[in-house]
Amino acid sequence: MTQLRTDLLPADPAGIATAARLLRGGQLVAFPTETVYGLGADAGNADAVAALYAAKGRPAENPLIVHLPDAAAAQPLARFPPHALRLAAAFWPGPLTLVLPRADSAALAPAVSAGRPTVALRVPAHPLAQALLRAVRRPVAAPSANRSGKLSPTLAADAMAGLSGRIAAVIDGGACAIGLESTIVAVDAAQLRLLRPGAIGADLLAEAAGAPVTAAAQDPNAPVEAPGQLATHYAPEAVLRLDVTAPDPGEVWVGFGPGCDGAALSLSDTGDLAEAAARLFATLRAADRLAAEGGGRIGVAPVPDHHLGLAINDRLRRAAAPRE
Ligand code: AMP
Ligand code: MG
């Protein structure tokens, strides 16, 4: 792969205009959303999409989320059953991705769907993402702006650290407010399946859609519905242990809530789940740096398994999964 100069672009009209020009020219640009930083490519340009897979080292079977500025721009790309229209009306713009039957006429590079008959669509709310998508005027494929298998970036510096030399630019929009990747729900005529938990919980989805939301198949022999959801994802370099209330000697302890005296770092001193989500990936990166100087091990205090805690624990379990 040729070494590129990766520019850090300011979050102003000039930075957005430069980013839009680069994307329209088939280059790759990382940009902030309210969830995490995404790595954008023109979703209609097969070469740009191929370059995106290469820059991330992303397996070819892992499809991409296509980003649009509004629901009207999303409409021609997929068939929206009534449930999907209700979810789009309720949660777009916002941290929700809908996996829908792809429209035959959708002008998207086939690799976006990685061989599936579906396409994942999202309308992000972040003002910079909105401004960029409006300026590009094309659907933008944007997986998280990290090398495949690594922690998602929630700061421009994290995207830069992972992808510098491999992409054209990063827009610096500061820290991402939510900090966890979007909720992904697959919608077909009959049902709604939660493929990835996120800030919008299954209860809210079911209420807005007027239909139950089932969890994606957990049967290891079932076909994989969201390949990016395979176990060893979001991995720090260190070995990570969960539900740690008493750290082992040499283990970097990441606390949650009061009562974690002696923890090197904390997801939230007060036990605030929104704060913990926003800080999760940056804290794991910081823990990883500390662990690299010591025993190479991280222990994370228990995080309650409700509301945003469900999505936080989903990411923590993947970070703790045994590595291949
Ligand atoms: P990322 O954008 O890095 O958060 O990854 C995108 C996630 O969306 C991955 O887990 C993909 O497997 C999932 N995804 C994207 N498109 C589809 C699709 N057509 N069907 C199922 N999952 C998808
Ligand atoms: Mg990702």
Side-chain angles (χ1 to χ4, degrees):
M1 177 175 287
T2 20
Q3 190 76 7
L4 298 176
R5 193 195 69 198
T6 304
D7 289 328
L8 189 63
L9 299 174
D12 61 17
I16 297 287
T18 301
R21 183 174 47 74
L22 289 167
L23 284 167
R24 290 177 62 84
Q27 305 286 310
L28 307 178
V29 177
F31 62 95
T33 80
E34 68 275 27
T35 59
V36 302
Y37 274 72
L39 178 59
D42 176 351
N45 178 334
D47 292 337
V49 170
L52 191 157
Y53 276 92
K56 276 184 64 83
R58 186 169 176 104
E61 62 273 11
N62 193 357
L64 308 175
I65 298 174
V66 176
H67 290 66
L68 294 313
D70 50 40
Q75 213 84 59
L77 301 180
R79 286 203 308 281
F80 282 72
H83 299 332
L85 290 174
R86 288 197 284 272
L87 290 176
F91 299 112
W92 281 354
L96 176 67
T97 296
L98 297 176
V99 173
L100 299 165
R102 175 172 155 142
D104 294 336
S105 57
L108 298 172
V112 163
S113 291
R116 288 156 191 264
T118 52
V119 65
L121 302 177
R122 176 170 167 229
V123 174
H126 193 296
L128 286 171
Q130 277 282 326
L132 180 64
L133 292 168
R134 288 184 195 284
V136 175
R137 284 181 284 117
R138 291 181 193 167
V140 172
S144 52
N146 52 287
R147 300 280 282 277
S148 190
K150 303 291 184 197
L151 299 168
S152 293
T154 51
L155 291 167
D158 296 338
M160 194 55 109
L163 294 170
S164 177
R166 298 175 158 251
I167 66 174
V170 178
I171 302 177
D172 188 353
C176 301
I178 293 175
L180 299 176
E181 303 84 349
S182 58
T183 303
I184 304 181
V185 62
V187 188
D188 56 34
Q191 53 177 345
L192 299 173
R193 283 184 321 284
L194 186 69
L195 302 188
R196 177 169 73 188
I200 299 174
D203 48 344
L204 288 181
L205 293 172
E207 193 183 307
V213 178
T214 56
Q218 296 294 319
D219 176 357
N221 298 315
V224 176
E225 278 212 84
Q229 291 308 98
L230 291 172
T232 61
H233 218 61
Y234 313 111
E237 302 298 326
V239 173
L240 192 139
R241 201 160 67 92
L242 300 179
D243 295 326
V244 171
T245 49
D248 289 341
E251 197 171 40
V252 175
W253 192 26
V254 177
F256 175 83
C260 295
D261 298 336
L265 299 161
S266 176
L267 292 173
S268 166
D269 286 331
T270 58
D272 177 337
L273 287 170
E275 182 184 30
R279 294 169 48 92
L280 178 68
F281 290 126
T283 305
L284 289 181
R285 283 168 194 273
D288 224 5
R289 287 190 288 272
L290 291 175
E293 295 159 13
R297 285 175 309 121
I298 301 171
V300 183
V303 175
D305 226 0
H306 58 74
H307 299 101
L308 261 177
L310 290 168
I312 294 171
N313 283 323
D314 170 76
R315 307 313 189 267
L316 285 173
R317 274 193 297 276
R318 291 172 205 291
R323 316 285 160 77
E324 282 130 23

